[in-house]
Amino acid sequence: MTDSTIITHDVLVVGAGLAGSWAALAAGKEGVTDIGVLSKLHPLRSHSGAAQGGIAAALNNVRPAAGGGPRGPLEAIPPGDEPIDSWELHMFDTIKGSDWLGDQDAIEIMVKEAPEVIYEYEHMGCVFSRLPDGRIAQRRFGGHSTPRANYAADYTGHVLLHTIYEQALRHGVKYYPEWYCLDLIIEDNVCRGVVAMDIISGKLYTMRAKAVMFGTGGYGRAWKITSNATANTGDGVAIAYNAGVPLMDMEFVQFHPTGLYGKGILMSEACRGEGGYLRNSDGDRFMEKYASGLMELAPRDLVSRSEQIEINEGRGVGPDKGGVYLDLTHLGAEKIMSRLPQVRELAHEFLGVDIIHDQVPIQPTAHYSMGGIPANADGQVIADADGTPVVGFYAAGECACVSVHGANRLGTNSLLDASLFGRRAGKAMAAFIKGGAKLHPISGDPARQQEARIQRLMSAPAGSKESVAQIGAELKEAMTNDCGVFRTGQQMTQALQKVKDLQERFPQAQVMDKSRRFNTDLLGAIETEHLLTFAEVVVVSALNREESRGAHSRTDFTKRDDANWLKHTLAFKNGGDGPRLGYKSVNIDWEKYPPQERKY
Ligand SMILES: Cc1cc2nc3c(=O)[nH]c(=O)nc-3n(C[C@H](O)[C@H](O)[C@H](O)COP(=O)(O)OP(=O)(O)OC[C@H]3O[C@@H](n4cnc5c(N)ncnc54)[C@H](O)[C@@H]3O)c2cc1C
């Protein structure tokens, strides 16, 4: 290590999405003055900015109009009128949505603090859509029993992210845009910093910090059809796992019901929140058969499975009959243009369909990672089932598993999760710093180890025919086919074998670009290595869980099995032998919210 390659901060955040930037802002507001945030993308290109539909909080501004029912028009609740929404109802909906795998103490914190977070956004200047009387407008989302999604047309994530980024800058946070984190340094269960690359120069730095937080986002890119941005390669979870931190509940991956057919690009759930229908090749609104109460606004796991059954039974649409239709034509041009302008643009640009006039073909798309780095409600990462803290290491947002979403997340709860737990982690890190946290020494030279890793990647055997892109494509195909909406033991055994074969082939793969400046070929190889690392954890965790719960749906174990499986999975790195699994109990209030059958 030479001095010019060492950077120090009190607080170092990896990730500049809502979780990362909120944490930095909150720590700044609490008086921490030395905060660095690194992001492999420009901060405003983080996937949080792609979120469309809304952010949940029981503000109680809107209710169904008289006689409107679950799908009819909405009206504003006059101030002082009888409330229809409450944190308790938000809590119950979230617990039910999670198929009782969510930790109820963390869920309670989230739903109680949610309105405060929305008003903080508002006071910082966030441009929410409004009711005529000026209060924040709300719409319906799947699995929520009242209109609870606060939104800004269908650009919600975009406006939230801009608000937090500019406020973080105002509080003196130093951003490192286009810096790539390669490694997390933990010794004796104390986090000491990270190794990162300045992508523009290709130079490596050891970044030391008293507290490090990961807000590195989701891992949908391990699947072929996904709504996730190309950057969502689960780097953070793979890096933490390699550093000895366990991963929790990785088998729970949400498939969103409405990805554009063949592309996976998201048609927001707001489409159904605003009244959209799903139809099969016979023109039937098939949700009648699967969730006659909530219909299209049942939770995502259920709707995706219903679509997949229609497709599997031959009532699909599109060239290979692999999709179903999203029908918005009855909403009218005015509503579509004011509430869903981005959705219209996406359908038009990518499939040439104008949703004002035509149905658009869609299919389930890998969307959200319920699992991740285990953390408590203050973002403190834990090292085991007893909750032993990894000193100085925090995680929040989609890369973390708190766990508020359990086996299935409700739409609009994750912008809330990322914002709220990012903010809490920022405050917790500030308290940690003020309490006298130290900069711990680093033994050895982790940056040199990462340099050696890069050299290995750059020097695949001469004449090798393996390509990183091919390995990535085969992985995504296997994960979509054999660890997707429905899974069986036999399919997942096959997927596991495939992942292991690909891991073995990977060292032979060529990185063609041998330069160091902005080498996206090299970064693609590192990201593919990360995909191969955590995909194995996903498949092993899923194969082991012999039940169906939330988004983990096995056709060979079709029932939820609370007697044996009402517990979180913890996967620990175990040398070259694949993950070693352990389990952690779920925090349940047995008096108030005991497990029930999940019906909609
Ligand atoms: C298309 C789409 C629409 C969505 N719509 C909604 C919605 O309407 N409502 C809702 O509640 N949720 C929605 N979600 C989910 C929600 O947007 C995300 O879960 C949430 O924004 C994640 O925030 P985050 O801060 O954890 O991660 P992200 O916003 O993904 O940010 C991750 C950050 O980590 C950085 N990073 C990652 N790896 C590295 C590395 N190795 N080195 C350096 N930096 C790194 C990235 O540069 C980025 O800054 C949607 C998701 C998608 C994909």
Side-chain angles (χ1 to χ4, degrees), residues 15-16 18-19 39-40 46-48 53-54 181 235 368 398 412 414-415:
L18 282 177
S39 170
K40 65 179 180 177
S46 302
H47 192 65
S48 291
C181 175
D235 299 335
Y368 184 83
E398 196 169 334
T412 69
S414 82
L415 288 178

Side-chain angles (χ1 to χ4, degrees), residues 87 203 257 281 369 556 594:
W87 67 262
K203 200 165 154 187
S281 58
S369 324
D556 49 356

Side-chain angles (χ1 to χ4, degrees), residues 137-320:
Q138 300 191 282
R139 63 178 157 212
R140 298 185 175 96
F141 250 71
H144 291 278
S145 43
T146 63
R148 190 181 285 145
N150 308 283
Y151 62 96
D154 56 1
Y155 295 101
T156 311
H158 180 88
V159 304
L160 300 181
L161 190 61
H162 276 255
T163 305
I164 299 307
Y165 177 58
E166 69 187 25
Q167 293 298 315
L169 288 176
R170 179 171 159 228
H171 279 81
V173 171
K174 176 169 173 47
Y175 279 87
Y176 295 83
E178 298 179 331
W179 278 53
Y180 190 99
C181 175
L182 289 158
D183 191 21
L184 174 67
I185 307 165
I186 297 176
E187 291 177 36
D188 303 327
N189 208 36
V190 177
C191 180
R192 291 143 202 260
V194 305
V195 177
M197 179 202 288
D198 171 7
I199 297 174
I200 292 178
S201 66
K203 200 165 154 187
L204 300 196
Y205 292 83
T206 304
M207 303 183 83
R208 300 178 60 192
K210 296 173 183 169
V212 172
M213 192 197 97
F214 271 16
T216 50
Y219 47 85
R221 278 278 150 181
W223 284 261
K224 184 177 161 191
I225 299 290
T226 177
S227 68
N228 281 201
T230 38
N232 288 14
T233 49
D235 299 335
V237 292
I239 292 169
Y241 179 70
N242 284 335
V245 176
L247 298 180
M248 188 157 113
D249 291 343
M250 293 290 284
E251 61 271 42
F252 296 103
V253 175
Q254 176 166 83
F255 293 85
H256 192 293
T258 55
L260 268 186
Y261 176 70
K263 314 270 182 209
I265 295 167
L266 196 71
M267 299 278 96
S268 171
E269 186 168 310
C271 297
R272 285 169 288 133
E274 296 293 353
Y277 299 151
L278 293 172
R279 297 187 190 278
N280 61 19
S281 58
D282 300 330
D284 294 335
R285 281 180 67 195
F286 54 84
M287 285 310 298
E288 183 85 56
K289 278 187 284 186
Y290 306 100
S292 56
L294 284 182
M295 294 287 288
E296 285 88 351
L297 282 179
R300 292 175 177 175
D301 55 337
L302 207 163
V303 181
S304 285
R305 280 197 292 278
S306 309
E307 287 179 2
Q308 199 62 49
I309 293 171
E310 292 297 305
I311 294 165
N312 293 350
E313 292 182 355
R315 292 182 295 279
V317 305
D320 65 355

Side-chain angles (χ1 to χ4, degrees), residues 439-451:
L439 208 55
H440 289 273
I442 297 171
S443 62
D445 190 347
R448 183 176 294 177
Q449 288 168 16
Q450 289 304 312
E451 185 57 47

